[in-house]
């Protein structure tokens, strides 16, 4: 991740800059010099996939730890927050509730600080972020920084569209950057540089934004201006996991980490990444957790607006806590429950007889008359939808398994394939659950009922 550097080609041998990384004062020494109390962690190296890049740093236990031990406690003076950046909590709240996110403000601040070079107080921290190049512990950048051809690794996944949408959102924030300059002019008087959009290109800003996104910590029970924080020794030096409960927390003027399990000296320390699905983990941090209890897919169902009884169905849906365009969260391992949750909404869309609709309106709860042929039609539509989703991927689940078994595979292709495999497993279990419900119908010789205004699925 380069906050404000010009474009350059990747070197084939260790560059002068990489040698400097090794020779200059390391991050932890700088932190101790500036108030970090004795702690129980050490920075270690993990070789990057690309040998042209310096190794990835990570935080490891410096001694054996037990659950409940404080691994480190970083004083707030070494934490970057909007309160510190903008100096005025009112301005911080105004900016982040208007057109700019916390991430954009933090990225802009660090870009200007980097322009000051070694004169910046934050130079050792910024140098560490540069070393990481926006990569997580798998040494993969967020898809927001992938090329168009690399994004094709995500073909078939809704994540591809999410990446493009997020990139457009970052561009909109870039176009609003000058707002920070004018609203917080006293802050930027210390920087003898041009206004943001003249000092930095969009590509430089996007790199900085993505890097900040990969390491920002969401602190709980603090003011809005301290909610998003950049914590040296925090991510990406800490490894994220979904099945861990340790979190960075704000305590008495510091941000500390209490470990939730024992560690042997030298082991990499992990923290909880929050209840995020793999799609968000990949976009935000560049990795996929295949043991992610919080993984899920979204299925969107919508009542057909051309249906003559659309307004009546809309009222029934609202009465039962549903919307005319309803999203259903299909959680990993809970696919059958998700299908059962969708059925009442789908049945409502299939009601066509006005008398039946009157009965539905007068009933209490999500009650629709269900004939065998209607249930067959509803389940048939769901099964066809899941098959179509699975057919939208260029590879099968088996082909993904074979690819991931290979050792020599591009890191971005590997992590993309991991995501696709997780999605396909959820969709396959949805299809299995739907087919199982079809096989439980009393008479499979019936034809599905016609549905001129069936709900729309995507």
């Amino acid at each position: 991740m380069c906050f404000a550097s010009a474009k350059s080609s990747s070197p084939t041998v260790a560059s002068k800059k990489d040698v400097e990384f090794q020779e200059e004062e390391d991050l932890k020494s700088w932190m101790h010099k500036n108030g970090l109390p004795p702690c129980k962690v050490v920075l270690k190296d993990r070789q990057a996939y690309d040998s042209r890049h310096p190794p990835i740093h990570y935080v490891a236990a410096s001694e054996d730890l037990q659950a409940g031990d404080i691994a480190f406690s970083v004083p707030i003076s070494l934490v970057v927050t909007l309160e510190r950046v903008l100096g005025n909590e009112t301005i911080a709240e105004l900016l982040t509730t208007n057109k700019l996110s916390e991430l954009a403000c933090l990225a802009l601040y660090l870009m200007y600080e980097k322009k000051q070079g070694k004169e910046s107080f934050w130079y050792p921290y910024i140098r560490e972020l540069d070393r990481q190049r926006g990569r997580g512990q798998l040494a993969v950048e967020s898809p927001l920084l992938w090329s168009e051809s690399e994004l094709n690794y995500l073909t078939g996944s809704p994540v591809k569209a999410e990446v493009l949408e997020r990139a457009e959102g970052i561009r909109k924030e870039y176009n609003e950057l000058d707002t920070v300059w004018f609203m917080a002019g006293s802050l930027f008087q210390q920087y003898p540089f041009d206004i943001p959009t003249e000092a930095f290109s969009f590509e430089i800003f996007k790199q900085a934004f993505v890097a900040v996104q990969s390491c920002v910590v969401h602190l709980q029970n603090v003011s809005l201006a301290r909610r998003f924080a950049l914590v040296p020794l925090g991510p990406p030096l800490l490894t994220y996991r979904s099945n861990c409960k340790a979190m960075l927390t704000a305590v008495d003027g510091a941000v500390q980490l209490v470990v939730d399990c024992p560690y042997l000296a030298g082991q990499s320390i992990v923290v909880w990444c929050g209840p995020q699905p793999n799609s968000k983990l990949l976009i935000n941090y560049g990795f996929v957790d295949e043991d992610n209890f919080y993984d899920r897919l979204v299925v969107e169902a919508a009542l057909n607006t051309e249906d003559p009884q659309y307004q009546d169905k809309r009222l029934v849906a609202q009465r039962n806590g549903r919307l005319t365009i309803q999203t259903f969260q299909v959680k990993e391992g809970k696919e059958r429950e998700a299908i059962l949750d969708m059925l009442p909404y789908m049945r409502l869309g299939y009601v066509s007889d006005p008398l039946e609709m009157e009965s539905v309106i007068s009933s209490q709860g999500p009650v629709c008359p269900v004939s065998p042929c209607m249930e067959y039609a509803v389940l048939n539509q769901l099964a066809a939808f899941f098959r179509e989703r699975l057919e939208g991927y260029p590879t099968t689940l088996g082909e993904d398994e074979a690819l991931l078994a290979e050792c020599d595979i591009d890191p971005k292709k590997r992590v993309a394939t991991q995501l696709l495999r997780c999605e396909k497993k959820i969709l396959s279990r949805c299809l299995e659950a739907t087919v199982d419900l079809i096989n439980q119908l009393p008479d499979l010789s019936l034809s599905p009922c016609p549905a001129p205004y069936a709900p729309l699925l995507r």
Side-chain angles (χ1 to χ4, degrees), residues 163-224:
V163 169
L164 297 175
E165 183 179 351
R166 179 81 70 86
E168 184 57 32
I170 295 173
R171 181 174 289 279
K172 289 179 180 177
E173 292 210 61
Y174 173 76
N175 293 334
E176 296 292 337
L177 280 182
D178 295 348
T179 303
V180 186
W181 179 281
F182 294 117
M183 292 185 66
S186 58
L187 168 71
F188 294 105
Q189 285 177 3
Q190 64 182 296
Y191 301 120
F193 309 115
D194 294 330
I195 62 175
T197 54
E198 294 180 9
F200 309 106
S201 69
F202 169 67
E203 286 304 318
I204 293 296
F205 172 70
K206 185 166 78 166
Q207 291 172 19
F209 185 98
V210 171
V212 168
Q213 172 183 267
S214 72
C215 58
V216 74
V217 174
H218 299 233
L219 297 177
Q220 304 296 314
N221 303 316
V222 295
S223 66
L224 179 64

Side-chain angles (χ1 to χ4, degrees), residues 23-214:
E23 294 178 348
E24 294 184 354
E25 180 181 46
D26 68 32
L27 176 68
K28 190 163 175 285
S29 298
W30 167 75
M31 293 178 69
H32 281 304
K33 187 180 295 184
N34 286 280
L36 177 69
C39 57
K40 300 177 180 179
V41 300
V42 64
L43 288 181
K44 300 188 73 173
D45 286 350
R46 178 181 292 123
Q47 188 60 44
Y49 282 114
D50 191 333
S51 60
R52 297 172 298 179
H53 294 164
I56 296 286
H57 275 164
Y58 66 96
V59 171
S62 59
E63 59 186 76
D64 292 352
L65 299 177
Q66 300 300 318
D69 285 350
I70 298 176
F72 60 76
S73 182
V74 179
I76 202 69
S77 60
L78 290 174
V79 176
V80 185
T81 64
L82 282 188
E83 183 179 52
R84 183 185 184 97
V85 169
L86 299 175
N88 182 314
E89 186 166 328
T90 302
I91 293 179
E93 293 190 15
L94 180 62
L95 285 171
T96 56
T97 53
N98 190 13
K99 295 182 178 179
L100 283 172
S101 68
E102 292 94 335
L103 300 186
C105 295
L106 292 172
L108 180 61
Y109 175 71
L110 291 185
M111 286 193 295
Y112 275 118
E113 283 292 317
K114 180 173 179 177
K115 270 186 171 287
Q116 295 194 107
K118 294 184 180 181
E119 297 301 313
S120 169
F121 172 76
W122 299 106
Y123 172 74
Y125 181 44
I126 292 172
R127 185 166 51 88
E128 185 64 41
L129 294 180
D130 265 352
R131 180 193 187 103
Q132 299 296 116
R133 301 173 191 266
R135 300 167 294 170
Q137 289 301 310
L138 294 180
V140 176
E141 300 93 343
S142 162
L144 289 165
L145 298 179
W146 293 9
S147 67
E148 186 176 346
S149 61
E150 289 168 338
L151 281 178
N152 286 333
Y153 295 150
L154 296 170
T155 297
S157 170
V159 170
K160 186 175 181 180
E162 288 180 38
V163 169
L164 297 175
E165 183 179 351
R166 179 81 70 86
E168 184 57 32
I170 295 173
R171 181 174 289 279
K172 289 179 180 177
E173 292 210 61
Y174 173 76
N175 293 334
E176 296 292 337
L177 280 182
D178 295 348
T179 303
V180 186
W181 179 281
F182 294 117
M183 292 185 66
S186 58
L187 168 71
F188 294 105
Q189 285 177 3
Q190 64 182 296
Y191 301 120
F193 309 115
D194 294 330
I195 62 175
T197 54
E198 294 180 9
F200 309 106
S201 69
F202 169 67
E203 286 304 318
I204 293 296
F205 172 70
K206 185 166 78 166
Q207 291 172 19
F209 185 98
V210 171
V212 168
Q213 172 183 267
S214 72

